[in-house]
C-alpha cells in the first residue's frame, strides 16, 4: 500500500515535470544574469534600459522624420547601439563557451517577418517591450508596466495556442 | 548625461558590460530560441516565467535599495528613479499588438539580438520586420500629427 506522502510526491513530481520539462535551472540562472546586466547599468547610470527604443534611435541615423530625430533619441542613439551590439556579443560568448553554437531556428520565415513587424509596431505604441516593461517596469512596480505585460502575455498565449490549433508548425 | 555632451569615460564601457551580461543571460536562459518561447506560450514549458521573474526580482531589489539609500548615479550624476510610463489606451493597444507578434514569431527585441549572436541568421528577418514596424508606426504618427493637430503625443 502506498502512503499518503508517496502519492503527494508522485503527483508533485509529475506536475513539475509536466510544467517544466526542461527543469528550471537554466531559466532561473539566465534570468538572474539578465537582471544583473540591467542592474549594473542602472547602478552606474540610473538608466532603466529597454531593448526596443533601439529601433527609433537607430532609425534617426537614416530617416529625416522628426519623430525619429527627437532630442531623447539623438542623445541616446550611440549608447543604444553599443548596448544592442554588446547583447549580440554576450550571446556569442555564451554560444562559443557553453552553448551548442551555430544553430538556426526552424520557425518559418513568414512567422519571423510578420511577427517581427507586429512586435516593432506594438512595442512603439505600447512604450516598451519584454525588457522595458517586463523587467525594468515590473522591477519599478509600475502599474503601467503590469498592465502592458498582462496584456501581451494573455494575447501572446492566445495567439500561440491558436496557431498551434491551426496546425502551424514550427 | 551632462548638458554639454561630455560623458564619464566609463559610461560606454559600463553599457557594454551590462549589455553583454544581458545577452549572455538571454542566451543561457534559452529565450533566444523562438522554439522555447513558443513552447512557453503554448503552455508546454512554463520555465520562461523564471526568466522574467528572476530578472525582475534582481532588478527590483537593486532599484528599491538604490532609490532608498543612494543619491545619484556615479557615471551620470542623475538621481536614481523608477521606470514610469504614463498609462493610457495605447499601453494596452500596443501590448496587444506586441502580443500577437510575439505569439506568431516567438521573438521579442532583446531575445532577437541575442539569437543573432548565437549565429541564428534567419532571425535577421525578424529584426528587419521590427525595424519596418517601428518605421511604419513612426511614419504614421508623424503623418497623423501633421494632418490632425489635436492628436496628443503618447510619450
Amino acid at each position: 500500500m502506498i502512503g499518503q506522502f508517496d502519492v503527494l510526491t508522485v503527483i508533485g513530481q509529475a506536475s513539475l515535470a509536466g510544467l517544466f520539462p526542461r527543469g528550471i535551472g537554466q531559466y532561473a540562472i539566465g534570468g538572474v544574469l539578465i537582471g544583473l546586466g540591467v542592474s549594473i547599468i542602472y547602478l552606474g547610470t540610473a538608466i532603466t534600459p529597454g531593448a526596443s527604443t533601439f529601433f527609433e534611435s537607430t532609425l534617426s541615423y537614416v530617416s529625416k522624420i522628426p519623430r525619429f530625430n527627437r532630442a531623447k533619441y539623438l542623445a541616446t542613439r550611440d549608447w543604444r547601439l553599443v548596448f544592442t551590439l554588446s547583447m549580440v556579443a554576450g550571446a556569442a560568448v555564451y554560444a562559443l563557451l557553453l552553448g551548442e553554437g551555430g544553430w538556426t531556428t526552424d520557425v518559418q520565415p513568414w512567422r519571423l517577418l510578420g511577427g517581427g513587424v507586429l512586435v516593432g509596431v506594438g512595442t512603439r505604441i505600447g512604450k516598451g517591450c519584454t525588457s522595458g516593461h517586463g523587467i525594468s517596469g515590473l522591477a519599478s512596480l509600475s502599474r503601467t508596466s503590469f498592465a502592458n505585460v498582462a496584456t501581451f502575455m494573455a494575447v501572446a498565449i492566445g495567439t500561440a495556442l491558436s496557431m498551434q490549433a491551426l496546425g502551424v508548425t514550427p | 548625461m551632462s548638458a554639454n555632451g561630455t560623458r564619464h569615460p566609463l559610461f560606454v564601457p559600463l553599457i557594454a558590460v551590462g549589455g553583454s551580461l544581458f545577452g549572455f543571460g538571454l542566451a543561457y536562459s534559452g529565450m533566444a530560441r523562438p522554439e522555447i518561447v513558443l513552447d512557453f506560450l503554448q503552455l508546454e514549458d512554463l520555465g520562461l516565467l523564471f526568466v522574467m521573474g528572476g530578472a525582475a526580482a534582481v532588478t527590483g531589489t537593486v532599484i528599491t535599495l538604490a532609490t532608498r539609500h543612494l543619491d545619484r548615479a556615479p557615471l551620470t550624476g542623475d538621481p536614481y528613479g523608477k521606470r514610469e510610463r504614463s498609462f493610457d489606451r495605447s499601453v494596452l493597444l500596443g501590448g496587444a499588438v506586441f502580443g500577437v507578434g510575439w505569439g506568431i514569431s516567438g521573438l521579442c527585441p532583446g531575445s532577437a539580438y541575442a539569437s543573432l549572436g548565437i549565429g541564428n541568421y534567419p532571425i535577421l528577418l525578424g529584426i528587419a520586420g521590427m525595424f519596418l514596424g517601428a518605421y511604419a508606426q513612426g511614419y504614421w504618427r508623424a503623418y497623423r500629427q501633421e494632418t490632425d493637430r489635436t492628436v496628443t503625443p503618447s510619450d
Side-chain angles (χ1 to χ4, degrees):
Chain A
M1 188 175 166
I2 323 170
Q4 190 183 357
F5 289 108
D6 295 326
V7 174
L8 285 179
T9 306
V10 169
I11 292 173
Q13 283 171 344
S15 61
L16 268 184
L19 296 176
F20 304 104
R22 296 183 184 92
I24 59 169
Q26 61 162 340
Y27 297 117
I29 292 170
V32 167
L33 292 173
I34 293 168
L36 287 176
V38 173
S39 297
I40 285 174
I41 292 174
Y42 178 77
L43 280 175
T45 66
I47 293 168
T48 50
S52 59
T53 307
F54 171 69
F55 301 125
E56 283 146 318
S57 65
T58 304
L59 284 166
S60 73
Y61 286 111
V62 295
S63 169
K64 291 196 163 55
I65 296 179
R67 197 167 167 74
F68 299 131
N69 285 275
R70 284 179 285 179
K72 67 172 182 176
Y73 297 142
L74 297 180
T76 63
R77 62 183 186 178
D78 59 340
W79 73 251
R80 288 188 191 280
L81 201 56
V82 171
F83 181 54
T84 300
L85 291 177
S86 63
M87 278 163 83
V88 176
V93 168
Y94 165 82
L96 294 172
L97 292 185
L98 301 175
E100 60 272 61
W103 54 264
T104 56
T105 183
D106 291 327
V107 173
Q108 299 174 54
W110 73 266
R111 294 181 76 171
L112 299 177
L113 183 62
V117 169
L118 292 174
V119 165
V121 172
T123 61
R124 299 304 77 216
I125 295 177
K127 310 172 191 180
C129 63
T130 16
S131 55
H133 279 307
I135 300 173
S136 296
L138 294 188
S140 300
L141 301 178
S142 156
R143 281 194 225 172
T144 299
S145 292
F146 277 105
N148 183 270
V149 171
T151 305
F152 75 62
M153 279 284 183
V155 172
I157 288 170
T159 303
L161 288 174
S162 304
M163 302 267 300
Q164 189 184 35
L166 290 170
V168 182
T169 51
Chain B
M1 239 159 298
S2 54
N4 59 13
T6 57
R7 274 198 189 124
H8 195 285
L10 290 178
F11 178 86
V12 169
L14 184 88
I15 295 283
V17 170
S20 303
L21 251 177
F22 196 150
F24 188 94
L26 278 167
Y28 192 96
S29 69
M31 210 176 160
R33 259 189 192 280
E35 282 88 344
I36 290 185
V37 176
L38 291 173
D39 276 354
F40 167 72
L41 295 175
Q42 289 161 190
L43 307 177
E44 288 162 2
D45 180 351
L46 301 188
L48 241 56
L49 288 176
F50 284 86
V51 182
M52 192 181 282
V58 170
T59 309
T61 305
V62 169
I63 290 180
T64 303
L65 291 176
T67 49
R68 279 188 196 164
H69 302 292
L70 298 175
D71 188 21
R72 285 169 183 277
L75 301 190
T76 56
D78 291 335
Y80 289 110
K82 299 187 169 181
R83 185 184 192 277
E84 285 292 354
R85 296 282 185 277
S86 58
F87 181 81
D88 52 43
R89 274 178 308 173
S90 67
V91 171
L92 302 181
L93 175 66
V97 175
F98 171 69
V100 174
W102 200 34
I104 289 177
S105 63
L107 292 183
C108 61
S111 74
Y113 311 150
S115 201
L116 186 62
I118 290 176
N120 182 19
Y121 63 86
I123 222 80
L124 283 169
L125 263 181
I127 296 175
M130 291 177 201
F131 271 109
L132 277 174
Y135 184 79
Q137 193 269 347
Y139 191 88
W140 170 244
R141 281 290 302 274
Y143 172 78
R144 281 277 300 274
Q145 268 172 349
E146 253 176 46
T147 54
D148 182 2
R149 287 286 166 196
T150 60
V151 172
T152 49
S154 69
D155 47 355

